[in-house]
Amino acid sequence: MSQVQFKSGKNGFADFLRDNTVYPRFSKNNCVQGTVNVSFKLNEQGKVYFSKISKGILSDLDQEALRLVRLSSGKWQIPAGYDTTVSIVVPVNFVLSGYNCEGKSSEEMQESIRSYQAEEALTNSVINFYKNIDQAKPGQEAQIIAIKNQLGIDDEYLDDRVKMGLKKIKQGDKQGACEDFTFVKYMGSKKADEYLAQYCK
């Protein structure tokens, strides 16, 4: 079977990743490195219509890997008779050089990952609260607001997430944009509601 190829040639995808990767702040500051495998499907036009992480490291790197694969939408060459239901898996490598990461022990890196995941668990508790707000107990929201403050999720942060989502819409990454808008909604904010209605039915 003939293979799917990146339009700009054999090293096209690697070059594309190199030119477009935005190393996530947390992972960069904590020297978290490694390879994320993304599984995705292409339609006849070479557009990515489905993507998910098949092997991740940490959600900020996973999200960036997904963003990159979705950004590559339309840059793939599809051979005749290609089966568009087939999943393609690509590795997205995250490597830091020149950030003093050579001196970081893997224990330090694991410790950073643990603290990140603890924060993520808190974020998820906020999401679950707003997802099921009709079952909330009196006074519970005050605790949730305290968690949001602890995480630094304020209006400014949510405005940034909405802007990020709109930028993704411009780039053609509807799936990524709707994830951002949904996140804002589940932080108890109505800031993204009009975009959810417009783009994410």
Side-chain angles (χ1 to χ4, degrees), residues 182-201:
T182 305
F183 177 87
V184 171
K185 178 187 175 180
Y186 289 139
M187 285 295 124
S189 166
K190 296 197 171 359
K191 287 176 189 291
D193 286 7
E194 59 172 308
Y195 303 118
L196 279 165
Q198 194 178 341
Y199 300 111
C200 310
K201 290 189 184 68

Side-chain angles (χ1 to χ4, degrees), residues 104-117:
K104 271 242 175 181
S105 68
S106 67
E107 284 77 35
E108 285 175 290
M109 196 167 98
Q110 289 307 319
E111 185 50 49
S112 304
I113 290 175
R114 275 194 294 277
S115 70
Y116 183 94
Q117 286 165 334

Side-chain angles (χ1 to χ4, degrees), residues 122 126 130 139-153:
L122 287 176
V126 176
Y130 286 110
Q140 204 178 351
E141 191 167 14
Q143 291 171 295
I144 293 295
I145 289 168
I147 293 174
K148 270 167 57 178
N149 293 339
Q150 183 190 336
L151 292 168
I153 296 170

Side-chain angles (χ1 to χ4, degrees), residues 11-31:
N11 298 323
F13 187 58
D15 294 342
F16 170 82
L17 291 177
R18 196 189 54 234
D19 296 342
N20 291 286
T21 299
V22 179
Y23 214 101
R25 199 170 53 205
F26 178 87
S27 286
K28 185 157 86 180
N29 294 345
N30 293 281
C31 298

Side-chain angles (χ1 to χ4, degrees), residues 44-62:
E44 285 93 347
Q45 288 79 46
K47 291 200 159 71
V48 176
Y49 71 88
F50 171 81
S51 53
K52 69 180 177 63
I53 298 294
S54 58
K55 179 177 126 335
I57 305 173
L58 192 61
S59 66
D60 70 343
L61 290 175
D62 297 353

Side-chain angles (χ1 to χ4, degrees), residues 16 20 22 47-48 64 66-75 163-177 180 199:
F16 170 82
N20 291 286
V22 179
K47 291 200 159 71
V48 176
E64 176 60 11
L66 269 180
R67 185 188 74 82
L68 288 161
V69 165
R70 291 169 185 168
L71 196 59
S72 75
S73 190
K75 295 180 170 32
K163 275 190 208 123
M164 206 153 71
L166 291 171
K167 194 172 164 188
K168 288 175 185 174
I169 290 285
K170 277 202 186 86
Q171 293 173 336
D173 175 11
K174 202 171 124 184
Q175 192 182 349
D180 282 332
Y199 300 111

